Structure formats: C-alpha cells, structure tokens
Amino acid sequence: MTTSRPFSACVTYYDPNALPVAAAQEIVRQWAMPRGTAGRVERVSLYEALGRVLAEDVISPIDVPAFDNSAMDGYAFKSAALNAARDAVELNVAGIALAGRPFSAEPNAAQCVRIMTGALIPPGCDTVVPQELVTRADDVIRFPSTVVSEGQNRRLAGEDLARGKAALQAGRIVRASDLGLLASLGIAEVAVRKRLVVAFFSTGDELRSVGEPLAPGSLYDSNRYTLFAMLRRLDVETVDLGIVRDDRASLEKALREAAQAADVVISSGGVSVGDADFTRELMNSLGDVAFWKIAMRPGRPLAFGRLWSGPRAGTGESALFFGLPGNPVAVMATFYFIVREALLAMSGAARQPLIEIRATCAEPIKKRAGRTEFQRGIASRRADGQWSVVTTGPQGSGVLSSMSRANCFIVLEHDRGNLETGDSVDIVPFDGLV
Ligand code: AMP
Ligand code: MG
C-alpha cells in the first residue's frame, strides 16, 4: 500500500513539540484506515468467532422468536372474552400447551388453554392471563376483566429479530451474547476479518530478556510482555521480534523485517531526545515518520508514521509504525490512548470508545495545566453510589507497579490544574464488561 506523505500535511497546524493528545489521536485516526476486505476475510465456526470482527452484516434467516408464544405461565384465550365480560371473565380450560408441545385445536370464545412460558399460542388466541391472577375451580378459571388487556403476555414472532434484517452488523466484535444470538438463528459459521498482524520489539542496550543474568546497569525487558498482553486482548496476531540493540544496522534490520511481516509495527524506547537523532535519520530513510512530543504524561515522546520494508521509503511492503517511549507506564498509556483505536480501526472494527465514568477525588491531586495526564487511580464505589478515586501514589512513568495496583486511569484534561478533594474527574476503568 502506498500513501502520499502524511505528516508534513497533518502536523503543520500543531506544534510537534507540544502536540495536544486530542490532535495526536485525530491524526492517527486519519491514517489508521480499515484495510480492504479483499483477501482478508475468512469463515469461522461459532466458537472461533469469539472476539473476531464481523466482515459482513449477519442477516437473520428466520424470525426470532419463530412463532407467537407465551411470555408467562397462565391461560391463553381470545381477547373478545374481555369485552364480553362485565366484571369477571369465566372460561373453560380446553387443554394444555407446553413449550415444544403445542395445543393445535382452536378454542371457542368461552374457552382458554392452560399455557406455559415459551409455548406456541394456540390458534385464534391472542392474550395470556398470568396464572397468579386467576382462581381456578376444576376446569373453570375466573379473573377480573381489568387485570389483563388485549395482546398482553404474548411474544410475537420476529419481535427480537425479524427475518431478512441485519441481526449483527459488519464491524461488530463478537461477544458472548453475540455467539448465543448467532446460535439462536441457527448460524454455524460467520465471515470475519483476518486478524491484523502486529510486530513489536524493544530497543535498548541495557535490556535483558527474562532468563538471562542481569549485568550491572542492565534491566529486564518488561515492555514486550505488556505489549504482548495488550495486543492479545485486542485479538490481533502478534510477532515478537525481541530486543533490538541501539545501533543503526540492528534497528534497520528490525524495522524492515517488521514492515515486511506485519500490518503495524510497534517499538518501545529510543525515541526520546537523547536517542531521537539517530533513529530519526534512519526512520526518515526507511519511511515517513514524524517525531512528536505529545503534551501527555506519561508518554511524551512518540514517533508515528509509515515504514517500508525496502531499502528506501516507498519500496517493498509498508506498515503503520508507532515508536512508543521506553518507560513502562508510558508504553501502556500511549498504547491505550493513541495506539488502541488505530488497531481497532485497521482491524475493521466499529469505533469502541473507552468507557469514562465520573468520579469524585477523595484527595487533592497535583496536575500541571497544558498537558493531559493519565494518572493511575484506585476507584471504589461509595455508600451513596458515587465513584470515588485516589491515586496510587508516586506517578513516575517507570513505576509499573502503579499500573498493577490501579484499577483505572484518572484522565486529567489538558487545561486542568491542581485538583482539590471533592472535585469531579473522569476515570477509565481497566476492566470492561464483555
Ligand atoms: P528510552 O526511551 O529508550 O530512553 O527509555 C526510557 C526508559 O525506559 C529507560 O530508563 C529505559 O531503561 C526504560 N526502558 C526502555 N525500554 C524498556 C523495556 N523494554 N522494558 C523496561 N524498561 C525499559
Ligand atoms: Mg533506550
């Protein structure tokens, strides 16, 4: 895929040394277009469809429910009996309809049919009176004519899903309820988009892999594991390219391999001021990459653009590229607030905004105006039903334990300054219900 040079055009309106988060998100959104479906669709069975993106609308082949049925345990009858009655309706029980065992004769105006939830409404009947509202003596029931009105307690054929209508739309990420819904339509297979392929690696001479001894001044590479986990949760295919040393040849090899193998390449480290000159030169020759300082904490330095696998930009295969900062918390914050939406869009998924909840600060929070901060918070529900939040303490972008202890991000908007106890904030819970 080739694209005209993006960033020269996009970034001119902003200062790349203090790009507001919203502007960065908007630019990324413009460049992370869904890939075409040609050659990128596969049919999978229901179990395999969980978490995948539907490639096309699923049209309901049947009505759900398939027939008019009772919503209650009670008695089915013709509503004309309601009008005919003065105060009480009196009907003879002509038989019984059970779920899966219909009563097939048509009762007359003075008759009713004992019916259980889900059973087919007998011919000519249109109303069900719940059993707890009637008195029964032998085969005669009585109930006040006001307790039920025409058509009540009946589920109509096609009420949930009408035959020929889209039951689920293309772009939907299939969830638990959707699997059940597809099964209720008798659908055994669906067309889903092939998974997006995302390659990732860490950069840094100081990094060691788990299992290796730690030399003085070295540290274990944690970013690859966090990235792997976050990518898995998005159900993309991952290619782990390991640790790349801070030298031109290794980095060039990794970037070109990654652009060849993947739709999106994510690296961590090597984009801050000290390292940027070296990487900038390389990335400019291999692609069209802009270096941003986002007005965001954590996550200030970030590189974004397009890379090619060939010896020069515009040659070979291309991939979208995110060069994330090295600090472990910054990796997570930039992933969730900058990268995530791009990966979903490229996967063909409909937009899924992160859920934000209003909470009250239970303590003052230090915040500098002029940047968006994503502090790590612990939110809890107060007795009055409101959410209340405190920070996890020190907010250094290397303190990964702050992410493990937190259950939400506290999103502090660009223009906001210090916060007092009792102020309202937005939080983004780590756990979504799916
Ligand atoms: P850099 O952006 O490369 O200057 O890295 C910033 C900080 O993050 C440095 O203290 C690095 O040691 C640390 N860091 C970079 N990459 C990783 C990684 N993969 N795992 C853990 N820490 C890292
Ligand atoms: Mg580094």
Side-chain angles (χ1 to χ4, degrees), residues 109-233:
Q111 288 180 320
C112 65
V113 174
R114 173 93 174 112
I115 192 164
M116 296 298 150
T117 306
L120 179 80
I121 301 275
C125 296
D126 57 10
T127 305
V128 173
V129 58
Q131 62 187 15
E132 55 274 21
L133 299 181
V134 312
T135 49
R136 180 168 174 170
D138 297 324
D139 277 347
V140 177
I141 63 161
R142 265 175 84 85
F143 58 93
S145 57
T146 50
V147 297
V148 67
S149 49
E150 179 182 345
Q152 271 190 327
N153 305 315
R154 171 186 57 165
R155 298 190 287 226
L156 292 174
E159 193 177 277
D160 281 357
L161 298 167
R163 171 196 203 133
K165 291 266 166 59
L168 293 172
Q169 259 141 13
R172 168 100 190 160
I173 297 177
V174 177
R175 301 178 176 205
S177 57
D178 303 326
L179 278 198
L181 190 146
L182 291 164
S184 76
L185 300 177
I187 293 175
E189 263 188 14
V190 283
V192 296
R193 284 179 175 256
K194 288 195 175 155
R195 289 192 175 95
L196 194 71
V197 181
V198 182
F200 61 100
F201 60 86
S202 296
T203 67
D205 287 339
E206 76 281 27
L207 300 178
R208 296 291 175 274
S209 287
V210 174
E212 287 176 0
L214 271 192
S218 62
L219 59 127
Y220 285 119
D221 172 11
S222 58
N223 290 343
R224 253 162 65 229
Y225 290 87
T226 347
L227 277 171
F228 164 82
M230 294 186 295
L231 290 167
R232 269 300 166 90
R233 293 289 291 261

Side-chain angles (χ1 to χ4, degrees), residues 203-206 246 268-272 275 326:
T203 67
D205 287 339
E206 76 281 27
D246 282 322
S268 72
V271 290
S272 52
D275 334 277

Side-chain angles (χ1 to χ4, degrees), residues 16-18 273 292-302 325 330 334 371:
N17 286 315
V273 184
W292 293 340
K293 290 201 180 86
I294 305 187
M296 161 173 181
R297 190 188 151 96
R300 201 160 115 88
L302 193 137
T334 48
R371 67 186 185 199

